[in-house]
Amino acid sequence: MFPFCTRGRNDFNHEYKSIRYIVSRRLDYRWGRSRNDDPNHFLGHGYAYLISSKLGMELAGKHKTFYNRGISGDRASDLYARWNEDTISLKPDLISILIGVNDAWRTMNGEPSGVTDRFGRAYRHLLEETREVMPDTGMILMEPFILRTGATVEKWEAWEEYIGQYQKLAQGLAEEFGAVWVPLQQTFNDALKQADAAYWLWDGVHPTAAGHELIARQWLSVVQNSPLAIV
């Protein structure tokens, strides 16, 4: 989950001031995640950092605030368990969420924590609570993604089935809750024309530096041309 929070939106010109990213699994790269005052580390070194650095530079005069509250290995249920502390308490103007692959990972590995699939229920609960408590907060839901390499090769068909279900569910939730949907699976599929799967997702799940840049560019392309554009 990658919370991209912006705080302090001006209701007259709809400028977002605080953006929060919520990134699941290992996308946070375990670098502080906005929990300290070290500006060299608190946004991590992934796509959240890339988006924040670009927008922060371009909109320096607007003094946007960016948070990364992603935790490596988180499932949707883990995210929901800390939603009050890590999201609602910040009162963000804009939230961006990427979640899903860890839920599939636990199930595919036969781990006890993956016996019950809570992805859809937990995701819906946190979106419902967000809309109830912060009805004016913009939401961006990002599509979970995989490629056929590394960890996904042996059980590729099962991986495709699980992630395909999560992709449809997440897109349906985006439509239901009026969130901006950022498609990513086709973005990665198209990138295979330039380089092999491991170049983008080194184990089929986790992005490389190039993979994070690909995500950042797609996010910016979609969000900055949507009603939730950060200006």
Side-chain angles (χ1 to χ4, degrees):
M1 166 198 83
F2 173 53
F4 179 63
C5 301
T6 69
R7 294 181 57 185
R9 186 179 68 181
N10 183 317
D11 288 332
F12 292 101
N13 56 17
H14 303 289
E15 291 184 359
Y16 294 103
K17 298 269 188 189
S18 165
I19 302 100
R20 176 172 184 265
Y21 306 93
I22 311 283
V23 189
S24 77
R25 63 181 196 246
R26 294 137 183 100
L27 293 183
D28 64 344
Y29 275 61
R30 293 188 174 280
W31 286 103
R33 296 165 33 275
S34 301
R35 294 187 183 281
N36 55 49
D37 296 323
D38 180 358
N40 190 43
H41 293 122
F42 60 39
L43 283 169
H45 289 161
Y47 77 87
Y49 174 85
L50 295 171
I51 296 170
S52 301
S53 61
K54 177 177 175 57
L55 293 178
M57 183 275 293
E58 293 178 350
L59 303 172
K62 302 295 183 65
H63 297 285
K64 307 295 183 182
T65 301
F66 301 86
Y67 301 89
N68 183 356
R69 287 291 194 251
I71 290 183
S72 175
D74 259 12
R75 301 157 297 161
S77 56
D78 300 313
L79 179 58
Y80 177 64
R82 61 188 178 87
W83 197 245
N84 278 337
E85 176 185 357
D86 275 0
T87 303
I88 293 178
S89 66
L90 295 175
K91 296 181 173 60
D93 298 306
L94 186 64
I95 302 171
S96 179
I97 304 173
L98 173 58
I99 195 79
V101 170
N102 268 335
D103 294 78
W105 187 289
R106 304 288 180 89
T107 300
M108 295 300 299
N109 286 351
E111 298 179 25
S113 58
V115 171
T116 302
D117 189 344
R118 299 175 177 175
F119 176 75
R121 282 176 289 174
Y123 211 162
R124 174 177 292 280
H125 286 331
L126 69 86
L127 294 176
E128 287 176 340
E129 290 189 10
T130 302
R131 275 286 176 254
E132 178 182 351
V133 178
M134 300 184 298
D136 296 326
T137 292
M139 294 195 294
I140 300 161
L141 304 191
M142 304 172 66
E143 182 179 34
F145 50 83
I146 55 172
L147 289 176
R148 188 172 185 172
T149 188
T152 65
V153 170
E154 184 177 353
K155 300 178 180 178
W156 175 247
E157 290 75 17
W159 269 102
E160 274 194 310
E161 180 179 356
Y162 266 103
I163 293 299
Q165 292 174 357
Y166 290 173
Q167 289 168 342
K168 292 178 182 178
L169 194 155
Q171 185 174 13
L173 289 173
E175 294 173 357
E176 180 180 348
F177 287 90
V180 169
W181 174 247
V182 179
L184 288 167
Q185 186 62 62
Q186 191 59 50
T187 300
F188 276 99
N189 291 347
D190 291 342
L192 296 177
K193 299 173 185 176
Q194 298 177 288
D196 62 23
Y199 184 84
W200 306 105
L201 304 178
W202 64 269
D203 61 353
V205 172
H206 303 110
T208 60
H212 278 289
E213 177 65 22
L214 193 65
I215 297 170
R217 291 186 184 190
Q218 174 69 349
W219 193 99
L220 289 165
S221 174
V222 173
V223 174
Q224 293 301 86
N225 288 289
S226 78
L228 297 184
I230 301 167
V231 296

